[in-house]
Amino acid sequence: MALRETNPNFMNGVPELLILSLLGEQEMYGYEIVQAIRQRTAAVIAVGEGVVYPVLHGLEGDGALKSRRKTINGRGRIYYSVTPRGARRLADLSQNWTNLTTAIQNILIGGQNAQAVL
Amino acid sequence: MALRETNPNFMNGVPELLILSLLGEQEMYGYEIVQAIRQRTAAVIAVGEGVVYPVLHGLEGDGALKSRRKTINGRGRIYYSVTPRGARRLADLSQNWTNLTTAIQNILIGGQNAQAVL
DNA sequence: TGCAATACATCGAACCACAAGGTATATTGT
DNA sequence: ACAATATACCTTGTGGTTCGATGTATTGCA
């Protein structure tokens, strides 16, 4: 089951968020995503292909992504793009991420009058 | 097989960061930390005792925390506080966290001119 | 011809966080 | 007096994600 409702380890699912976010801008293929993440984050985050491909397959299986084959220079590529369902998923994950970082910031900033802000 | 110190899963260690951060403000005992995290984050993050106690023991074993027993109302409590080594650890984790969220933000904000900023 | 890069993919191992359970005492409610 | 709840400590098994290694195949370059 790709759907995560059980055991929501609060820190997981970030690769999925990153991938959906990139594909939200433009269609991309797997290998390209691996490098885009590395470059855009100055190698702070370096997810491998072993992370990206399974996420891609999982999201497509859930109907969050759709794919199409293209042949370029005789080499096949599988381009992915987000479906409406994927867009919703992205919005959800994005919101969760914001909530999470805000929550953590509330503790890091710490201090006496720190009130959790919704 | 071999000792693994490289490549820490980039999302892990957040509970450790939170705990060190709280203890950096004032000494606390385990049960108190569990509740403090829940309250300060408006229940966005709710780590259980099964997360907190092992981290506490681990950090103490590494010399990042020190503890002292106190008996209050006939009930024993173990108060933890950060050592100089723990303070360094906190600074490191804190920096890593900032780098990470910055990196992710660079992707989420996305867009054409997004340059990873150190 | 060989090496690097491109592009896909899968698998086992590692690892963290979690839920669940266990012990024990103090307090509150009935 | 008794039960239930809250406090306070702790460990263990499980589960899901991520990682590194490995595999295949083609293209481009030296």
Side-chain angles (χ1 to χ4, degrees):
Chain A
M1 312 298 179
L3 284 184
R4 69 192 82 271
E5 353 204 359
T6 51
N7 189 27
N9 178 340
F10 71 99
M11 287 311 290
N12 291 341
V14 172
E16 189 178 317
L17 171 61
L18 297 180
I19 290 168
L20 275 171
S21 181
L22 286 172
L23 293 178
E25 294 174 31
Q26 56 177 308
E27 68 172 4
M28 279 178 143
Y29 55 98
Y31 191 80
E32 188 183 10
I33 292 173
V34 172
Q35 318 225 323
I37 292 177
R38 206 182 314 252
Q39 279 156 22
R40 287 255 203 116
T41 66
V44 170
I45 302 176
V47 293
E49 302 169 61
V51 171
V52 169
Y53 286 117
V55 170
L56 251 16
H57 301 331
L59 286 173
E60 185 174 25
D62 292 349
L65 295 181
K66 61 185 191 312
S67 66
R68 65 193 182 98
R69 279 199 90 72
K70 254 208 244 184
T71 300
I72 275 131
N73 297 341
R75 231 194 251 99
R77 291 179 183 169
I78 306 175
Y79 279 85
Y80 292 88
S81 53
V82 307
T83 62
R85 176 187 279 263
R88 255 176 280 131
R89 179 94 146 237
L90 171 56
D92 284 351
L93 288 176
S94 196
Q95 184 62 57
N96 281 350
W97 176 250
T98 301
N99 289 152
L100 186 68
T101 51
T102 302
I104 291 176
Q105 209 58 25
N106 274 335
I107 288 187
L108 293 191
I109 298 295
Q112 42 300 354
N113 51 358
Q115 280 295 358
V117 180
L118 292 180
Chain B
M1 292 229 250
L3 284 183
R4 180 165 314 281
E5 17 197 344
T6 51
N7 190 23
N9 177 346
F10 72 96
M11 287 311 289
N12 291 341
V14 173
E16 189 177 316
L17 170 62
L18 297 180
I19 289 169
L20 275 170
S21 181
L22 286 172
L23 293 178
E25 293 175 31
Q26 57 176 308
E27 67 172 6
M28 281 177 141
Y29 54 99
Y31 191 81
E32 188 183 9
I33 292 173
V34 172
Q35 318 225 328
I37 291 177
R38 206 181 312 253
Q39 280 157 21
R40 288 257 202 115
T41 66
V44 170
I45 301 175
V47 292
E49 298 169 23
V51 171
V52 170
Y53 286 117
V55 170
L56 251 16
H57 302 330
L59 286 174
E60 186 175 25
D62 291 349
L65 296 180
K66 61 185 191 311
S67 67
R68 63 193 183 99
R69 279 200 92 71
K70 253 209 245 186
T71 301
I72 275 131
N73 297 342
R75 233 194 248 101
R77 290 178 183 170
I78 304 175
Y79 280 85
Y80 292 88
S81 52
V82 306
T83 63
R85 177 187 279 263
R88 254 175 282 132
R89 179 95 146 237
L90 171 56
D92 284 351
L93 288 175
S94 196
Q95 184 61 56
N96 281 350
W97 176 250
T98 301
N99 290 151
L100 187 69
T101 50
T102 302
I104 291 174
Q105 209 58 24
N106 274 335
I107 289 186
L108 293 192
I109 298 296
Q112 41 301 355
N113 50 359
Q115 280 296 359
V117 181
L118 293 182

